[in-house]
mmCIF file of all heavy atoms in Angstrom:
data_model
loop_
_atom_site.group_PDB
_atom_site.id
_atom_site.type_symbol
_atom_site.label_atom_id
_atom_site.label_comp_id
_atom_site.label_asym_id
_atom_site.label_seq_id
_atom_site.Cartn_x
_atom_site.Cartn_y
_atom_site.Cartn_z
ATOM 1 N N SER A 267 120.238 119.623 101.607
ATOM 2 C CA SER A 267 120.364 120.691 102.725
ATOM 3 C C SER A 267 119.926 120.062 104.076
ATOM 4 O O SER A 267 120.487 120.350 105.064
ATOM 5 C CB SER A 267 119.604 121.916 102.387
ATOM 6 O OG SER A 267 118.162 121.729 102.516
ATOM 7 N N LEU A 268 118.942 119.187 104.078
ATOM 8 C CA LEU A 268 118.470 118.521 105.267
ATOM 9 C C LEU A 268 119.594 117.543 105.754
ATOM 10 O O LEU A 268 119.849 117.548 107.041
ATOM 11 C CB LEU A 268 117.197 117.731 105.037
ATOM 12 C CG LEU A 268 115.918 118.560 104.803
ATOM 13 C CD1 LEU A 268 114.775 117.525 104.437
ATOM 14 C CD2 LEU A 268 115.555 119.415 105.792
ATOM 15 N N LYS A 269 120.183 116.874 104.837
ATOM 16 C CA LYS A 269 121.274 115.965 105.264
ATOM 17 C C LYS A 269 122.424 116.763 105.782
ATOM 18 O O LYS A 269 122.874 116.225 106.863
ATOM 19 C CB LYS A 269 121.678 115.028 104.090
ATOM 20 C CG LYS A 269 122.730 114.091 104.413
ATOM 21 C CD LYS A 269 123.048 113.319 103.194
ATOM 22 C CE LYS A 269 124.233 112.240 103.462
ATOM 23 N NZ LYS A 269 124.506 111.274 102.302
ATOM 24 N N VAL A 270 122.823 117.831 105.173
ATOM 25 C CA VAL A 270 123.936 118.584 105.750
ATOM 26 C C VAL A 270 123.574 119.074 107.174
ATOM 27 O O VAL A 270 124.405 119.064 108.139
ATOM 28 C CB VAL A 270 124.182 119.823 104.818
ATOM 29 C CG1 VAL A 270 125.234 120.801 105.510
ATOM 30 C CG2 VAL A 270 124.737 119.179 103.564
ATOM 31 N N TYR A 271 122.406 119.562 107.371
ATOM 32 C CA TYR A 271 121.893 120.143 108.721
ATOM 33 C C TYR A 271 121.936 119.058 109.674
ATOM 34 O O TYR A 271 122.424 119.188 110.802
ATOM 35 C CB TYR A 271 120.418 120.665 108.652
ATOM 36 C CG TYR A 271 119.923 121.176 109.898
ATOM 37 C CD1 TYR A 271 120.369 122.219 110.473
ATOM 38 C CD2 TYR A 271 118.853 120.382 110.567
ATOM 39 C CE1 TYR A 271 119.810 122.565 111.727
ATOM 40 C CE2 TYR A 271 118.332 120.737 111.650
ATOM 41 C CZ TYR A 271 118.884 121.976 112.297
ATOM 42 O OH TYR A 271 118.282 122.312 113.465
ATOM 43 N N PHE A 272 121.445 117.787 109.349
ATOM 44 C CA PHE A 272 121.429 116.672 110.390
ATOM 45 C C PHE A 272 122.791 116.229 110.675
ATOM 46 O O PHE A 272 123.040 116.042 111.900
ATOM 47 C CB PHE A 272 120.595 115.636 109.687
ATOM 48 C CG PHE A 272 120.005 114.522 110.608
ATOM 49 C CD1 PHE A 272 119.379 114.860 111.698
ATOM 50 C CD2 PHE A 272 120.439 113.261 110.468
ATOM 51 C CE1 PHE A 272 118.919 113.804 112.714
ATOM 52 C CE2 PHE A 272 120.077 112.251 111.345
ATOM 53 C CZ PHE A 272 119.215 112.658 112.409
ATOM 54 N N ILE A 273 123.744 116.216 109.729
ATOM 55 C CA ILE A 273 125.063 115.802 110.118
ATOM 56 C C ILE A 273 125.694 116.870 111.127
ATOM 57 O O ILE A 273 126.293 116.429 112.170
ATOM 58 C CB ILE A 273 125.921 115.779 108.819
ATOM 59 C CG1 ILE A 273 125.503 114.651 108.063
ATOM 60 C CG2 ILE A 273 127.438 115.705 109.240
ATOM 61 C CD1 ILE A 273 126.233 114.545 106.614
ATOM 62 N N SER A 274 125.406 118.193 110.936
ATOM 63 C CA SER A 274 126.084 119.108 111.803
ATOM 64 C C SER A 274 125.385 119.039 113.162
ATOM 65 O O SER A 274 126.136 119.248 114.185
ATOM 66 C CB SER A 274 125.673 120.580 111.144
ATOM 67 O OG SER A 274 124.449 120.887 111.209
ATOM 68 N N GLU A 275 124.112 118.746 113.260
ATOM 69 C CA GLU A 275 123.472 118.638 114.578
ATOM 70 C C GLU A 275 123.886 117.421 115.330
ATOM 71 O O GLU A 275 123.948 117.460 116.623
ATOM 72 C CB GLU A 275 121.889 118.692 114.443
ATOM 73 C CG GLU A 275 121.327 119.950 113.878
ATOM 74 C CD GLU A 275 121.715 121.169 114.835
ATOM 75 O OE1 GLU A 275 121.318 121.092 116.108
ATOM 76 O OE2 GLU A 275 122.340 122.110 114.412
ATOM 77 N N LEU A 276 124.101 116.309 114.589
ATOM 78 C CA LEU A 276 124.582 115.152 115.223
ATOM 79 C C LEU A 276 126.098 115.361 115.856
ATOM 80 O O LEU A 276 126.303 114.879 116.966
ATOM 81 C CB LEU A 276 124.673 114.000 114.085
ATOM 82 C CG LEU A 276 123.312 113.364 113.741
ATOM 83 C CD1 LEU A 276 123.480 112.390 112.651
ATOM 84 C CD2 LEU A 276 122.726 112.488 114.982
ATOM 85 N N LYS A 277 126.835 116.058 115.079
ATOM 86 C CA LYS A 277 128.152 116.266 115.612
ATOM 87 C C LYS A 277 128.247 117.110 116.810
ATOM 88 O O LYS A 277 129.130 117.055 117.656
ATOM 89 C CB LYS A 277 129.034 117.049 114.348
ATOM 90 C CG LYS A 277 129.377 116.154 113.332
ATOM 91 C CD LYS A 277 130.193 116.726 112.295
ATOM 92 C CE LYS A 277 130.603 115.871 111.151
ATOM 93 N NZ LYS A 277 131.274 116.694 110.059
ATOM 94 N N LYS A 278 127.173 117.962 117.028
ATOM 95 C CA LYS A 278 127.125 118.719 118.333
ATOM 96 C C LYS A 278 126.758 117.845 119.444
ATOM 97 O O LYS A 278 127.141 118.184 120.582
ATOM 98 C CB LYS A 278 125.942 119.787 118.011
ATOM 99 C CG LYS A 278 126.422 120.941 117.017
ATOM 100 C CD LYS A 278 125.172 121.817 116.892
ATOM 101 C CE LYS A 278 125.502 122.908 115.884
ATOM 102 N NZ LYS A 278 124.351 123.735 115.562
ATOM 103 N N ILE A 279 126.001 116.769 119.117
ATOM 104 C CA ILE A 279 125.701 115.930 120.399
ATOM 105 C C ILE A 279 127.027 115.257 120.929
ATOM 106 O O ILE A 279 127.122 115.210 122.175
ATOM 107 C CB ILE A 279 124.755 114.823 119.911
ATOM 108 C CG1 ILE A 279 123.521 115.297 119.379
ATOM 109 C CG2 ILE A 279 124.595 113.828 120.868
ATOM 110 C CD1 ILE A 279 122.438 114.278 118.878
ATOM 111 N N SER A 280 127.856 114.796 120.003
ATOM 112 C CA SER A 280 129.052 114.116 120.500
ATOM 113 C C SER A 280 130.071 114.040 119.425
ATOM 114 O O SER A 280 129.718 113.627 118.219
ATOM 115 C CB SER A 280 128.849 112.800 120.993
ATOM 116 O OG SER A 280 129.920 112.025 121.269
ATOM 117 N N ASP A 281 131.271 114.337 119.646
ATOM 118 C CA ASP A 281 132.344 114.170 118.626
ATOM 119 C C ASP A 281 132.830 112.687 118.333
ATOM 120 O O ASP A 281 133.542 112.402 117.538
ATOM 121 C CB ASP A 281 133.583 114.986 118.950
ATOM 122 C CG ASP A 281 134.297 114.652 120.249
ATOM 123 O OD1 ASP A 281 133.823 113.684 120.994
ATOM 124 O OD2 ASP A 281 135.235 115.447 120.714
ATOM 125 N N LYS A 282 132.125 111.857 119.244
ATOM 126 C CA LYS A 282 132.343 110.454 119.056
ATOM 127 C C LYS A 282 131.423 109.684 118.079
ATOM 128 O O LYS A 282 131.555 108.537 117.788
ATOM 129 C CB LYS A 282 132.351 109.689 120.446
ATOM 130 C CG LYS A 282 133.406 110.091 121.351
ATOM 131 C CD LYS A 282 133.453 109.447 122.743
ATOM 132 C CE LYS A 282 134.509 109.919 123.607
ATOM 133 N NZ LYS A 282 134.506 109.213 124.875
ATOM 134 N N ILE A 283 130.380 110.391 117.665
ATOM 135 C CA ILE A 283 129.458 109.958 116.640
ATOM 136 C C ILE A 283 130.203 109.801 115.279
ATOM 137 O O ILE A 283 130.894 110.763 114.942
ATOM 138 C CB ILE A 283 128.183 110.811 116.569
ATOM 139 C CG1 ILE A 283 127.320 110.637 117.806
ATOM 140 C CG2 ILE A 283 127.408 110.480 115.322
ATOM 141 C CD1 ILE A 283 126.190 111.540 117.812
ATOM 142 N N GLN A 284 130.205 108.706 114.725
ATOM 143 C CA GLN A 284 130.752 108.524 113.380
ATOM 144 C C GLN A 284 129.836 108.108 112.293
ATOM 145 O O GLN A 284 128.606 107.793 112.630
ATOM 146 C CB GLN A 284 131.913 107.367 113.504
ATOM 147 C CG GLN A 284 133.052 107.778 114.514
ATOM 148 C CD GLN A 284 133.986 106.731 114.726
ATOM 149 O OE1 GLN A 284 133.663 105.667 115.313
ATOM 150 N NE2 GLN A 284 135.214 106.898 114.188
ATOM 151 N N PHE A 285 130.242 108.067 111.043
ATOM 152 C CA PHE A 285 129.343 107.821 109.863
ATOM 153 C C PHE A 285 129.816 106.660 109.232
ATOM 154 O O PHE A 285 131.110 106.573 108.845
ATOM 155 C CB PHE A 285 129.203 109.118 109.075
ATOM 156 C CG PHE A 285 128.788 110.280 109.793
ATOM 157 C CD1 PHE A 285 129.625 111.195 110.332
ATOM 158 C CD2 PHE A 285 127.324 110.515 110.095
ATOM 159 C CE1 PHE A 285 129.213 112.311 111.171
ATOM 160 C CE2 PHE A 285 126.886 111.537 110.763
ATOM 161 C CZ PHE A 285 127.801 112.383 111.326
ATOM 162 N N ASN A 286 128.999 105.724 108.933
ATOM 163 C CA ASN A 286 129.491 104.416 108.194
ATOM 164 C C ASN A 286 129.507 104.695 106.664
ATOM 165 O O ASN A 286 128.772 105.426 106.104
ATOM 166 C CB ASN A 286 128.553 103.356 108.515
ATOM 167 C CG ASN A 286 128.506 103.032 110.058
ATOM 168 O OD1 ASN A 286 129.570 102.883 110.575
ATOM 169 N ND2 ASN A 286 127.386 102.710 110.528
ATOM 170 N N GLY A 287 130.522 103.953 106.191
ATOM 171 C CA GLY A 287 130.687 104.056 104.747
ATOM 172 C C GLY A 287 131.040 105.434 104.384
ATOM 173 O O GLY A 287 131.764 106.202 105.063
ATOM 174 N N LEU A 288 130.593 105.980 103.252
ATOM 175 C CA LEU A 288 130.780 107.209 102.731
ATOM 176 C C LEU A 288 129.593 108.229 102.889
ATOM 177 O O LEU A 288 129.410 109.173 102.167
ATOM 178 C CB LEU A 288 131.214 107.301 101.282
ATOM 179 C CG LEU A 288 132.554 106.561 100.917
ATOM 180 C CD1 LEU A 288 132.602 106.331 99.466
ATOM 181 C CD2 LEU A 288 133.829 107.307 101.458
ATOM 182 N N SER A 289 128.746 107.731 103.806
ATOM 183 C CA SER A 289 127.361 108.427 103.898
ATOM 184 C C SER A 289 127.407 109.912 104.192
ATOM 185 O O SER A 289 126.556 110.640 103.973
ATOM 186 C CB SER A 289 126.406 107.558 104.812
ATOM 187 O OG SER A 289 126.984 107.630 106.074
ATOM 188 N N SER A 290 128.494 110.318 104.899
ATOM 189 C CA SER A 290 128.620 111.668 105.309
ATOM 190 C C SER A 290 129.409 112.572 104.204
ATOM 191 O O SER A 290 129.582 113.754 104.388
ATOM 192 C CB SER A 290 129.218 111.901 106.709
ATOM 193 O OG SER A 290 130.645 111.375 106.485
ATOM 194 N N HIS A 291 129.862 111.821 103.078
ATOM 195 C CA HIS A 291 130.569 112.507 101.987
ATOM 196 C C HIS A 291 129.604 112.951 100.969
ATOM 197 O O HIS A 291 129.174 112.026 100.176
ATOM 198 C CB HIS A 291 131.691 111.565 101.507
ATOM 199 C CG HIS A 291 132.808 111.214 102.507
ATOM 200 N ND1 HIS A 291 134.116 111.553 102.297
ATOM 201 C CD2 HIS A 291 132.659 110.696 103.751
ATOM 202 C CE1 HIS A 291 134.836 111.127 103.351
ATOM 203 N NE2 HIS A 291 133.955 110.631 104.156
ATOM 204 N N LEU A 292 129.276 114.088 100.827
ATOM 205 C CA LEU A 292 128.177 114.487 99.859
ATOM 206 C C LEU A 292 128.376 114.112 98.525
ATOM 207 O O LEU A 292 127.375 113.844 97.654
ATOM 208 C CB LEU A 292 127.807 116.063 100.083
ATOM 209 C CG LEU A 292 127.291 116.367 101.476
ATOM 210 C CD1 LEU A 292 127.083 117.900 101.420
ATOM 211 C CD2 LEU A 292 126.124 115.581 101.883
ATOM 212 N N ASP A 293 129.636 114.280 98.086
ATOM 213 C CA ASP A 293 129.966 114.007 96.607
ATOM 214 C C ASP A 293 130.111 112.477 96.304
ATOM 215 O O ASP A 293 130.261 112.080 95.173
ATOM 216 C CB ASP A 293 131.171 114.782 96.174
ATOM 217 C CG ASP A 293 132.273 114.434 97.117
ATOM 218 O OD1 ASP A 293 132.198 114.013 98.161
ATOM 219 O OD2 ASP A 293 133.541 114.783 96.628
ATOM 220 N N GLU A 294 130.231 111.603 97.419
ATOM 221 C CA GLU A 294 130.342 110.301 97.111
ATOM 222 C C GLU A 294 129.273 109.372 97.756
ATOM 223 O O GLU A 294 129.479 108.112 97.735
ATOM 224 C CB GLU A 294 131.716 109.752 97.775
ATOM 225 C CG GLU A 294 132.900 110.497 97.255
ATOM 226 C CD GLU A 294 134.165 110.095 97.948
ATOM 227 O OE1 GLU A 294 134.602 110.737 98.956
ATOM 228 O OE2 GLU A 294 134.822 109.120 97.393
ATOM 229 N N SER A 295 128.283 109.972 98.081
ATOM 230 C CA SER A 295 127.010 109.162 98.638
ATOM 231 C C SER A 295 125.743 109.834 98.233
ATOM 232 O O SER A 295 125.804 110.959 97.933
ATOM 233 C CB SER A 295 127.128 109.033 100.102
ATOM 234 O OG SER A 295 126.837 110.253 100.773
ATOM 235 N N SER A 296 124.671 109.017 98.336
ATOM 236 C CA SER A 296 123.313 109.592 97.965
ATOM 237 C C SER A 296 122.998 110.595 98.916
ATOM 238 O O SER A 296 123.180 110.444 100.150
ATOM 239 C CB SER A 296 122.338 108.436 98.105
ATOM 240 O OG SER A 296 121.103 108.998 98.001
ATOM 241 N N TYR A 297 122.381 111.710 98.453
ATOM 242 C CA TYR A 297 121.826 112.718 99.436
ATOM 243 C C TYR A 297 120.733 112.309 100.254
ATOM 244 O O TYR A 297 120.253 113.012 101.179
ATOM 245 C CB TYR A 297 121.561 113.930 98.554
ATOM 246 C CG TYR A 297 120.460 113.766 97.497
ATOM 247 C CD1 TYR A 297 119.142 113.896 97.758
ATOM 248 C CD2 TYR A 297 120.861 113.327 96.266
ATOM 249 C CE1 TYR A 297 118.126 113.679 96.669
ATOM 250 C CE2 TYR A 297 119.989 113.216 95.163
ATOM 251 C CZ TYR A 297 118.549 113.459 95.470
ATOM 252 O OH TYR A 297 117.661 113.224 94.519
ATOM 253 N N THR A 298 120.065 111.081 99.962
ATOM 254 C CA THR A 298 118.841 110.616 100.634
ATOM 255 C C THR A 298 119.316 109.737 101.824
ATOM 256 O O THR A 298 118.405 109.374 102.681
ATOM 257 C CB THR A 298 117.994 109.747 99.762
ATOM 258 O OG1 THR A 298 118.671 108.674 99.202
ATOM 259 C CG2 THR A 298 117.524 110.649 98.579
ATOM 260 N N ILE A 299 120.501 109.202 102.019
ATOM 261 C CA ILE A 299 120.895 108.274 103.008
ATOM 262 C C ILE A 299 122.044 108.830 103.888
ATOM 263 O O ILE A 299 123.029 109.234 103.413
ATOM 264 C CB ILE A 299 121.256 106.960 102.266
ATOM 265 C CG1 ILE A 299 120.128 106.301 101.611
ATOM 266 C CG2 ILE A 299 121.763 105.861 103.425
ATOM 267 C CD1 ILE A 299 120.347 105.039 100.707
ATOM 268 N N LEU A 300 121.861 108.395 105.268
ATOM 269 C CA LEU A 300 122.865 108.827 106.164
ATOM 270 C C LEU A 300 122.955 107.735 107.147
ATOM 271 O O LEU A 300 122.016 107.368 107.812
ATOM 272 C CB LEU A 300 122.668 110.117 106.911
ATOM 273 C CG LEU A 300 123.859 110.462 107.875
ATOM 274 C CD1 LEU A 300 125.047 110.899 107.161
ATOM 275 C CD2 LEU A 300 123.430 111.688 108.755
ATOM 276 N N ASN A 301 124.118 107.029 107.352
ATOM 277 C CA ASN A 301 124.252 105.823 108.233
ATOM 278 C C ASN A 301 125.147 106.266 109.323
ATOM 279 O O ASN A 301 126.314 106.517 109.190
ATOM 280 C CB ASN A 301 124.805 104.607 107.483
ATOM 281 C CG ASN A 301 124.535 103.239 108.287
ATOM 282 O OD1 ASN A 301 124.983 103.127 109.398
ATOM 283 N ND2 ASN A 301 123.817 102.441 107.605
ATOM 284 N N VAL A 302 124.634 106.222 110.485
ATOM 285 C CA VAL A 302 125.365 106.784 111.754
ATOM 286 C C VAL A 302 125.677 105.683 112.737
ATOM 287 O O VAL A 302 124.745 104.848 113.206
ATOM 288 C CB VAL A 302 124.354 107.838 112.403
ATOM 289 C CG1 VAL A 302 125.208 108.600 113.556
ATOM 290 C CG2 VAL A 302 123.910 108.902 111.280
ATOM 291 N N ARG A 303 126.939 105.733 113.284
ATOM 292 C CA ARG A 303 127.357 104.837 114.224
ATOM 293 C C ARG A 303 127.555 105.599 115.575
ATOM 294 O O ARG A 303 128.371 106.457 115.694
ATOM 295 C CB ARG A 303 128.638 104.224 113.803
ATOM 296 C CG ARG A 303 129.102 103.067 114.731
ATOM 297 C CD ARG A 303 130.199 102.154 114.174
ATOM 298 N NE ARG A 303 131.446 102.802 114.203
ATOM 299 C CZ ARG A 303 132.210 103.321 112.969
ATOM 300 N NH1 ARG A 303 131.451 103.351 111.906
ATOM 301 N NH2 ARG A 303 133.290 103.853 113.101
#
Side-chain angles (χ1 to χ4, degrees):
S267 72
L268 292 178
K269 181 175 177 177
V270 170
Y271 174 73
F272 195 57
I273 291 172
S274 68
E275 292 301 300
L276 284 169
K277 288 179 177 178
K278 291 176 185 177
I279 296 176
S280 170
D281 57 7
K282 294 181 179 179
I283 289 176
Q284 295 175 293
F285 302 96
N286 293 319
L288 297 168
S289 64
S290 64
H291 299 233
L292 298 180
D293 57 340
E294 296 178 276
S295 70
S296 170
Y297 57 90
T298 61
I299 295 173
L300 183 68
N301 199 302
V302 184
R303 187 164 77 256

